[in-house]
Amino acid sequence: MKTQMRNLTLLLFLLLLFLLCSSVLSWKKEEFRNCNQTPFCKRARARNPGSCSLSARDIRIENGDLKAKLLPREDHQNPDQVHSKPLILSLSVNGDGILRLKIDEDPNSDPPKKRFEVPDVIVEEFDRKKLWLQRHSTEVDSSSSSKSSVVFLSDGYEAVLRHDPFEVYVREKGGKRVISLNSHGLFDFEQLKVKKQDDNGDDEDWEEKFRGHTDTRPFGSQSISFDVSFYGADFVYGIPEHATSLALKPTRGPGVEESEPYRLFNLDVFEYVHESPFGLYGSIPFMISHGKSRGTSGFFWLNSAEMQIDVLGAGWDAESGISLPSSQSRIDTFWMSEAGVVDAFFFIGPGPKDVARQYTSVTGMPSLPQLFATAYHQCRWNYRDEEDVENVDSKFDEHDIPYDVLWLDIDHTDGKRYFTWDRVLFPHPEEMQRKLSAKGRHMVTIVDPHIKRDDSYFLHKEASQKGYYVKDANGNVYDGWCWPGSSSYPDMLNPEIRSWWAEKFSFENYVGSTPSLYIWNDMNEPSVFNGPEVTMPRDALHHGGVEHREVHNAYGYYFHMATSDGLVKRGDGNDRPFVLSRAVFAGSQRIGAVWTGDNTAEWEHLRVSVPMILSLGLTGMSFSGADVGGFFGNPETELLVRWYQIGAFYPFFRAHAHHDTKRREPWLFGMALKYGVGCAAGVQLMSFTFITQVLVIMQNLERNTELIRDAIRMRYMLLPYFYTLFREANTTGVPVARPLWMEFPSDEATFINDEAFMVGNSLLVQGIYSERAKHVSVYLPGKESWYDLRTGAVYKGGMTHKLEVTEETVPAFQRAGTIIPRKDRFRRSSTQMVNDPYTLVIALNSSQKAEGELYIDDGRSFAFTKGAYIHRRFVFTDGKLMSLNLATSALGGAQFSSECVIERIILLGHSAVPKIALIEPDDKTAEIELGPLFLKSRRGNDFLTIRRPNLPVAGDWTIKIL
Ligand SMILES: *[C@@H]1O[C@H](CO)[C@@H](O)[C@H](O)[C@H]1NC(C)=O
Ligand SMILES: *[C@@H]1O[C@H](CO)[C@@H](O)[C@H](O)[C@H]1NC(C)=O
């Protein structure tokens, strides 16, 4: 009896504990639909392989494309009694070796309306590179006697359309397949319908209900689904945004724990969980495959409706009787979308960087941010008032911590009316910005898409009068609930409305803004607190009769675009915009930066930030980061410090916190502990142990501040390297932060590694994701060595090292064979470092060689697009370092010059001990000494250091080591 009672109490206690813990993780799962509650997804998932009976007919070349009609097989046998409306298929080829497949309803068969095609994503240059196909050849497969039409794709590759059943694939000339579509016959395309009324005058019942919301679905079901196979693939990646691993796990198949498909539906998910295929704030329907045998390929579906994607585990099709003609490893996937058309792009690679270039040749190159935006950002919801801002700003100086941007969240406005200021809290916004600007700093304010429905608010008045809001299904202005209360949403799909919105950012219109003010777009999924799944109803209406369901995933993209255009237009039009957005779509890389939304101060969220950022980078969004410290909750000291240490290597580096959290500016952290001791003090009043405890904690406090300062300073030292990488992304599409396999594509050990990443081709960073870790395993790829970034210690490549963890840093290494440019003097902001000299860190490889680049421009204007920049290539070989020009003069002759010099060259891994360096062409000499890797190093070895060679960073020179 007694034990039973005890067990019961224990049980109750555990239950209570469970409830307490689960209330911390308060993801409201039931607020969002799963696949089973989403009719198109449920139906599609239930279909069997081979169920598609469409075949291609009427195959011809028209306007340089291969065209065909898709009709069900039974219609062929009775061509006179065709009862299905055909679909029109077209295949076109782009000069870069990209195959584009479009499938839509036949305009000649009178569909009730034109289905939505996402505008303003594909860049003009892409269309200009279209290859006009002249002919197709027909071949017959001997085993199945099925016919196919073959067209040229690029040197070594062909595109094939098999007729019956229809299938599209890319192959190496006459040989191995690369990517295919509908090989498993899962293709399905629901054509639009019009409601017929029955005798009682009732409509057909097409409505869908979810949690009290009704979707009228005026055109019935209009979903599309198909299977896509990647050949020679070991893993697939991409399709952000999900809080999950970099290599996408199978969602169904034998031996696979069945899960939801990866969902692409932009949602404001409150307190999201890690390890979930659930859709978050952004959607980029682009998947990349990679494997040891064939390399890399990619598949992009330009479609902005809700999408669900299954990754199918090997053997999922065992019972289908379908066997694909390939002995290579293969990954099959299944794509489902609620609406839109098929507009799909096949990328052949074969290397990871080729796929990045191919994808960005369709959707655009990432823009080059201003230099300040690549530095450290300080944000909090909210910096209360001008005094708070001034305080935080001066504390950074007091503690010698550089920062570039101070952010203001929603409460700086007059009642969440964007473009206004709370005049009590922020009476002098211009002066406030000017004070920051005097230190080379900038400010960012938030502007969200929900407009307060207040007749005295100028923005609402104008938008209402002009009819610029999104309408509900009945054609009335849509009225939703968000931060300001009752709100409406400008219809950003309409270019006219976007340009009206952009005008609002002029200095005259945005009263209180100055040239050092930039913008943050939040809640642009769009978030609607009282809408279905916290967003806008799918049957809401946009410009041109487009239903919200069709454009949902791109709404935030157009909003981001209009805002960024506004910053370009203001002033002299020669200031690069900076706009951070929470919602993204394919192409967002041209517009601005993204962060991974409202994460939580937990170790697991620190860990998942890395694969999230890498997935965004793989799909074009190079400029991305996660909130350092975690948005929700209070991080423990150690977690915050570790987060800064890895955050310093995120492409976008910002600390942010929810307003319910304790203040956590870098110099404050540890305060919580002091209060803890304060309680203990009541018990042990003024005892000796108490005093020593306080002393220990005070010391820790300073230590924590010091550790965070070191992490931020590391970022500032590396800014020249980061900026060079941002330019590389701008010209090649290759992201700043890269999975290891992007640099080491044939090293299988890297394929699922998402705890470490490369910053450019020269730096490898490994996070520490657990409390009080003593050791960490770091895999260093390749045959060459790696140098510890701080100590210069050498580690062998191609193996896993078990390293002791230090509190000073997360493990970070420079790859042998590379040269990294740095700036080692600490200032208040990046802007104040502009004229500082450079340090080059040369890490030699086994052949005593190394190479690196440095890109410099004015850091703010568009002059670089006309050639106003410096781009150098440094080559170390045969005991000589040369600086070579990489800038092309053909761009339009604009000039950029810099008086900066190289003040120090550090050589790692040099086999001899030379004494002197000879500089050509001047025949000057510079001394070679032993020096530390970092000026302030407390420990570590000394390395060959060429002191004060004072070489012009812009000039050609050679320096010989004797
Ligand atoms: C680089 O970024 C700028 C905007 O910052 C953009 O205009 C340009 O198209 C991008 N790409 C290249 C190759 O310059
Ligand atoms: C050493 O580095 C140079 C420059 O990066 C590179 O060209 C060369 O292939 C490397 N050598 C080895 C053996 O990796």
Side-chain angles (χ1 to χ4, degrees), residues 413-421 446-465 469 484 486-488 500-501 504 509-510:
T413 59
D414 172 14
K416 322 291 191 286
R417 292 171 189 83
Y418 303 105
F419 304 100
T420 70
W421 302 83
I446 196 164
V447 173
D448 289 352
H450 44 257
I451 309 298
K452 188 174 173 69
R453 297 186 53 79
D454 164 4
D455 292 334
S456 60
Y457 178 26
F458 75 96
L459 203 60
H460 175 63
K461 254 195 293 192
E462 255 182 79
S464 311
Q465 275 161 12
Y469 284 134
S486 174
S487 309
S488 289
W500 163 78
W501 180 260
K504 300 295 163 238
N509 287 340
Y510 187 173

Side-chain angles (χ1 to χ4, degrees), residues 597-611:
D598 300 343
N599 59 358
T600 304
E602 286 171 5
W603 289 95
E604 284 304 319
H605 273 253
L606 171 62
R607 181 193 298 268
V608 83
S609 71
V610 169

Side-chain angles (χ1 to χ4, degrees), residues 125 365-369 576-577 590 727 730-732 862 864-865:
E125 295 90 310
M365 291 294 166
S367 57
L368 182 62
R576 283 179 240 159
R590 300 196 312 274
R727 174 60 173 168
N730 180 235
T731 52
T732 64
F862 288 104
F864 78 99
T865 60

Side-chain angles (χ1 to χ4, degrees), residues 523-673:
M523 313 296 277
N524 53 338
E525 294 73 27
S527 175
V528 183
F529 294 158
N530 62 344
E533 299 194 84
V534 203
T535 189
M536 202 175 264
R538 290 162 195 244
D539 55 5
L541 290 171
H542 291 262
H543 174 61
V546 174
E547 287 185 277
H548 186 69
R549 88 181 74 250
E550 299 174 282
V551 70
H552 174 83
N553 283 344
Y555 179 85
Y557 167 74
Y558 295 116
F559 181 69
H560 191 196
M561 180 187 286
T563 304
S564 164
D565 285 350
L567 295 193
V568 174
K569 275 190 194 172
R570 70 178 185 178
D572 62 359
N574 195 21
D575 189 55
R576 283 179 240 159
F578 171 75
V579 185
L580 179 74
S581 176
R582 194 168 68 181
V584 287
F585 187 66
S588 290
Q589 70 270 14
R590 300 196 312 274
I591 302 170
V594 63
W595 92 108
T596 60
D598 300 343
N599 59 358
T600 304
E602 286 171 5
W603 289 95
E604 284 304 319
H605 273 253
L606 171 62
R607 181 193 298 268
V608 83
S609 71
V610 169
M612 289 179 82
I613 288 166
L614 294 177
S615 301
L616 284 162
L618 279 174
T619 54
M621 279 309 295
S622 185
F623 198 13
S624 70
D627 281 344
V628 169
F631 178 64
F632 292 112
N634 294 302
E636 312 124 52
T637 320
E638 194 186 345
L639 174 59
L640 184 72
V641 169
R642 290 297 186 208
W643 215 316
Y644 268 101
Q645 288 173 342
I646 193 119
F649 295 97
Y650 292 162
F652 175 62
F653 181 26
R654 181 186 78 154
H656 185 32
H658 188 275
H659 66 16
D660 289 344
T661 62
K662 297 191 198 94
R663 293 292 284 243
R664 57 167 99 134
E665 286 69 42
W667 50 90
L668 282 181
F669 211 76
M671 281 306 201
L673 277 177

Side-chain angles (χ1 to χ4, degrees), residues 942-962:
D942 282 346
F943 301 93
L944 286 183
T945 302
I946 306 176
R947 282 199 199 288
R948 285 183 278 284
N950 294 339
L951 300 156
V953 75
D956 294 339
W957 42 257
T958 299
I959 178 162
K960 235 189 223 155
I961 287 165
L962 306 170

Side-chain angles (χ1 to χ4, degrees), residues 783-784 816-818 843-852 875-876:
K783 293 194 179 66
E784 293 291 315
T818 64
L844 296 172
N845 64 10
S846 57
S847 31
Q848 295 282 291
K849 287 183 184 178
E851 278 180 25
V875 178
F876 189 97

Side-chain angles (χ1 to χ4, degrees), residues 439-494:
K439 298 178 184 173
R441 290 175 181 154
H442 299 78
M443 178 161 260
V444 165
T445 54
I446 196 164
V447 173
D448 289 352
H450 44 257
I451 309 298
K452 188 174 173 69
R453 297 186 53 79
D454 164 4
D455 292 334
S456 60
Y457 178 26
F458 75 96
L459 203 60
H460 175 63
K461 254 195 293 192
E462 255 182 79
S464 311
Q465 275 161 12
K466 292 175 183 283
Y468 278 176
Y469 284 134
V470 177
K471 314 276 189 313
D472 67 17
N474 301 317
N476 305 316
V477 170
Y478 175 67
D479 181 347
W481 196 263
C482 208
W483 294 128
S486 174
S487 309
S488 289
Y489 297 74
D491 182 4
M492 291 301 170
L493 178 59
N494 185 342

Side-chain angles (χ1 to χ4, degrees), residues 833-905:
M833 293 163 66
V834 163
N835 297 317
D836 285 349
Y838 290 85
T839 293
L840 297 181
V841 183
I842 304 180
L844 296 172
N845 64 10
S846 57
S847 31
Q848 295 282 291
K849 287 183 184 178
E851 278 180 25
E853 290 183 18
L854 174 63
Y855 171 84
I856 317 168
D857 62 20
D858 67 15
R860 53 161 298 267
S861 81
F862 288 104
F864 78 99
T865 60
K866 302 189 181 70
Y869 60 83
I870 294 166
H871 193 181
R872 309 299 305 179
R873 177 179 203 82
F874 303 115
V875 178
F876 189 97
T877 179
D878 303 323
K880 279 192 310 217
L881 174 67
M882 282 171 292
S883 173
L884 311 166
N885 185 23
L886 272 181
T888 42
S889 51
L891 274 167
Q895 294 288 317
F896 173 74
S897 61
S898 165
E899 299 291 304
C900 290
V901 296
I902 289 161
E903 67 168 345
R904 187 178 309 116
I905 297 170

